Amino acid sequence: MSLDPVRPSGVSCIRLLCWLDDKNLPCVPPISIIVYENYPPANPACIISSNDYGGTSFLMCVKDVFESRMMLMPVRFTVSHILDSWEMSVRQAVALLLDNKDSIANN
């Protein structure tokens, strides 16, 4: 995780650029998390780029699963919630990909 040098103008916040560093998972593009000045009462926001996550069916699956998980977040959530959801989205996309390969091989 690092501070993103791009800062939205007129907004008091920090932008974090987050990478998933797990040797057991495939490489995926980073996500950006915006943490507002009044965090934690104000939920952080997450940006997952369609350009970065639109290149393959696997990355599109990660994005879709992640967006679904974000819709299920509690009313108040944290940066850790976002990061956990992102990691679990990648794991779920891997599992779905493996299930699809197994069903194709068995047909």
Side-chain angles (χ1 to χ4, degrees):
M1 185 179 311
S2 66
L3 285 175
D4 189 337
V6 176
R7 184 177 185 165
S9 60
V11 179
S12 297
C13 65
I14 59 170
R15 189 168 171 166
L16 305 171
L17 195 55
C18 308
W19 291 271
L20 189 58
D21 187 17
D22 186 325
K23 66 180 180 179
N24 298 313
L25 293 175
C27 291
V28 294
I31 60 171
S32 292
I33 298 176
I34 299 171
V35 181
Y36 298 101
E37 181 179 39
N38 57 345
Y39 175 81
N43 291 332
C46 182
I47 300 169
I48 184 165
S49 170
S50 293
N51 290 336
D52 290 341
Y53 280 83
T56 67
S57 58
F58 170 71
L59 291 175
M60 287 185 279
C61 182
V62 171
K63 184 178 184 293
D64 291 345
V65 170
F66 180 70
E67 288 173 346
S68 295
R69 286 178 177 275
M70 289 299 294
M71 297 298 292
L72 298 173
M73 285 285 189
V75 173
R76 298 253 187 257
F77 57 89
T78 65
V79 170
S80 292
H81 285 117
I82 293 173
L83 293 174
D84 289 343
S85 292
W86 181 39
E87 177 191 359
M88 293 308 297
S89 298
V90 174
R91 291 184 186 282
Q92 186 175 351
V94 168
L96 289 169
L97 182 68
L98 292 175
D99 284 348
N100 285 342
K101 282 186 178 180
D102 286 343
S103 66
I104 290 170
N106 292 330
N107 289 329

